[in-house]
Amino acid sequence: MIGSGLGGVRTKQWAALTLVFAWIVAPAALAADCPGHPGALGTSRTLVVDPREHPRLGTMQYPETLPLADHEVVLTFDDGPLPRNSNQVLEILASQCVKATFFTIGNMAKASPEGVRKLRDAGHTIGTHTQDHPLSMNRMSIERARQEIDDGIASVKAALGDDADTALAPFLRIPGLLRADNVEEYLAAQGIQIWSADFPADDWRHIPSSRVYDLAMSRLEAKGKGILLLHDIQARTVAALPRILNELKARGYRIVHVVPATPERPATPTEPEQWRLHPWSENVAIAHWPKIPNFVFADTSTLPAPSLSDFDWLDAQPSALAEPFDRSRRPVHGVPLPRQAPWPRPSELPAENAAVTLPAPAQSLFEIPEGLRVVLHGAPSSRRAEQAGSSEHETHTKLVSADTRDSRRAARRTLRLGHGPGRNRRHATSRVAGHATPSAHRGPLKHLVQVKKRNA
């Protein structure tokens, strides 16, 4: 058992050392592999993958991606071949000795079979991209999806010729990345690996080539590594590709070429965490933490319940519940509750001490002293005298007020008459009142003064 465990550790360590050694020595060998271009970017290594072990790749849609190291990039191109632009892409890649993966459309392969053969002759990996590139794979019937997939594969094989079975890789990219469960299940059953991407450059949009370059590099810098999605049929991609390759070289990125595993070419040894874009560090991986051992309890007997005497409480006298538990009551959270608390209650007071009778108050407490009563009886007589005097004064005031009202009425009547033909009569009335002025308003005032004098 120990020997097998050590053997597994040695195998993992050897696989890791092999990968590191390949990354170190690959750049030195690339100079000889790219004659005439000593400063070429080149292809750092070839990665062999088994489609059945990892059927879906690309973090844009799936949890797994290719097992790449930091600053490793895989170039992919869709929708070709289109001779006008695809041939220029091949020339640019050849000048840098870079290998890429192409996902060809069946109809494009039928229209330009020589373009598919150029991909094979240049050593690139050839996958498929359905027959007609429909942007409805996520909602079409599985029968039609199968036809698109199978027809696309058949068209590319027809363009490749006799060695189609070995030249065509079991790689496929769904058009528009519009995935569906039934499509993915069908491809997995056929042993075909689905490729998504880790980041695109949006070169299918109507943007300038400078924008394609900016998006490719900024998104690669954000990821640190991964699968780059491009299109070899776009003129803007042809214009941006030389600058992208030069910048990859300047920033220390390395190109990885991916091929499928065969019986003669086994898959590259990898660890499961390497298929994540950002795997856990070996320093914090759960697999390296010590595991908690499983304890086995030898004795599981039940201990006796403690009695009240163990606590020396109330002289070990048991306290009985005032009322037993009512099992019929509605439980709270499944637990029946007692009607009263089970702890002891203080004893009640005796009846003779609880009822205390107070003496009744005597009648003398409510009697009023005699002197106070005399004062109270004498007060109304003085009030009556004052009320009598005030009544006489009020009567006199009412008489004066009545005379005053009569005088005012007479004055107003006289004033109204003075506006008409009897104007001289108003002046006569004023002279009788003793006023030298012809105004009629002073007459009632004089009359009021005379009434007050007579009363005095």
Side-chain angles (χ1 to χ4, degrees), residues 427-440:
H427 291 289
T429 304
S430 300
R431 283 195 295 272
V432 172
H435 288 278
T437 60
S439 175

Side-chain angles (χ1 to χ4, degrees), residues 164-446:
D165 292 336
T166 58
L168 181 62
F171 299 161
L172 182 139
R173 178 171 282 160
I174 299 175
L177 305 183
L178 299 175
R179 55 161 300 276
D181 292 339
N182 54 1
V183 174
E184 292 173 350
E185 292 172 0
Y186 173 72
L187 291 171
Q190 300 300 315
I192 300 174
Q193 191 175 55
I194 302 174
W195 281 54
S196 181
D198 293 320
F199 51 94
D202 295 357
D203 57 342
W204 69 90
R205 301 183 185 274
H206 296 287
I207 57 177
S209 60
S210 59
R211 182 60 176 165
V212 174
Y213 162 81
D214 292 336
L215 291 175
M217 297 309 302
S218 61
R219 291 171 178 174
L220 174 58
E221 287 289 327
K223 297 281 188 177
K225 59 181 179 179
I227 305 170
L228 174 60
L229 172 59
L230 296 169
H231 293 79
D232 60 314
I233 65 171
Q234 299 292 340
R236 62 181 65 92
T237 305
V238 175
L241 186 58
R243 188 180 177 190
I244 291 174
L245 296 179
N246 291 332
E247 192 65 20
L248 290 176
K249 173 72 175 179
R251 298 189 187 188
Y253 285 93
R254 301 177 298 275
I255 300 298
V256 175
H257 183 210
V258 183
V259 297
T262 62
E264 298 79 17
R265 185 173 55 193
T268 302
T270 57
E271 294 296 328
E273 60 267 18
Q274 292 180 268
W275 294 84
R276 302 279 177 169
L277 183 64
H278 297 292
W280 290 335
S281 172
E282 292 185 359
N283 297 327
V284 298
I286 296 178
H288 295 272
W289 290 358
K291 295 183 179 179
I292 301 175
N294 294 326
F295 294 97
V296 178
F297 297 93
D299 188 5
T300 59
S301 60
T302 304
L303 296 176
S307 61
L308 294 177
S309 59
D310 295 332
F311 301 98
D312 193 18
W313 181 56
L314 296 179
D315 297 331
Q317 295 296 326
S319 58
L321 296 177
E323 295 182 5
F325 285 99
D326 188 0
R327 300 291 182 180
S328 62
R329 294 178 61 196
R330 185 177 182 181
V332 179
H333 301 293
V335 179
L337 297 179
R339 290 185 177 178
Q340 295 182 2
W343 49 78
R345 289 182 172 79
S347 60
E348 298 181 355
L349 295 175
E352 59 272 11
N353 296 332
V356 180
T357 304
L358 297 176
Q363 187 176 0
S364 60
L365 296 176
F366 302 97
E367 293 181 354
I368 301 175
E370 189 66 23
L372 181 59
R373 186 181 301 161
V374 172
V375 174
L376 292 176
H377 284 297
S381 55
S382 61
R383 286 199 197 96
R384 284 195 294 270
E386 294 176 358
Q387 291 175 359
S390 62
S391 300
E392 294 176 359
H393 178 70
E394 290 175 358
T395 303
H396 176 72
T397 305
K398 290 179 181 179
L399 293 174
V400 174
S401 300
D403 293 341
T404 303
R405 286 195 299 271
D406 294 340
S407 300
R408 288 177 180 174
R409 290 194 191 100
R412 285 195 296 270
R413 188 165 50 253
T414 304
L415 184 60
R416 285 195 298 270
L417 294 175
H419 291 287
R423 188 173 184 179
N424 293 331
R425 184 190 296 177
R426 184 184 62 184
H427 291 289
T429 304
S430 300
R431 283 195 295 272
V432 172
H435 288 278
T437 60
S439 175
H441 294 283
R442 300 183 180 229
L445 296 177
K446 180 67 175 293

Side-chain angles (χ1 to χ4, degrees), residues 78-82 84-86 89 108 231-235 237-238:
D78 288 3
D79 295 352
L82 184 65
R84 182 179 64 254
N85 295 322
S86 298
V89 170
M108 303 294 282
H231 293 79
D232 60 314
I233 65 171
Q234 299 292 340
T237 305
V238 175

Side-chain angles (χ1 to χ4, degrees), residues 45-64:
R45 68 185 180 105
T46 299
L47 176 65
V48 184
V49 298
D50 188 347
R52 295 188 180 273
E53 291 183 359
H54 303 276
R56 302 175 184 89
L57 301 175
T59 55
M60 287 183 67
Q61 294 175 296
Y62 306 114
E64 284 191 342

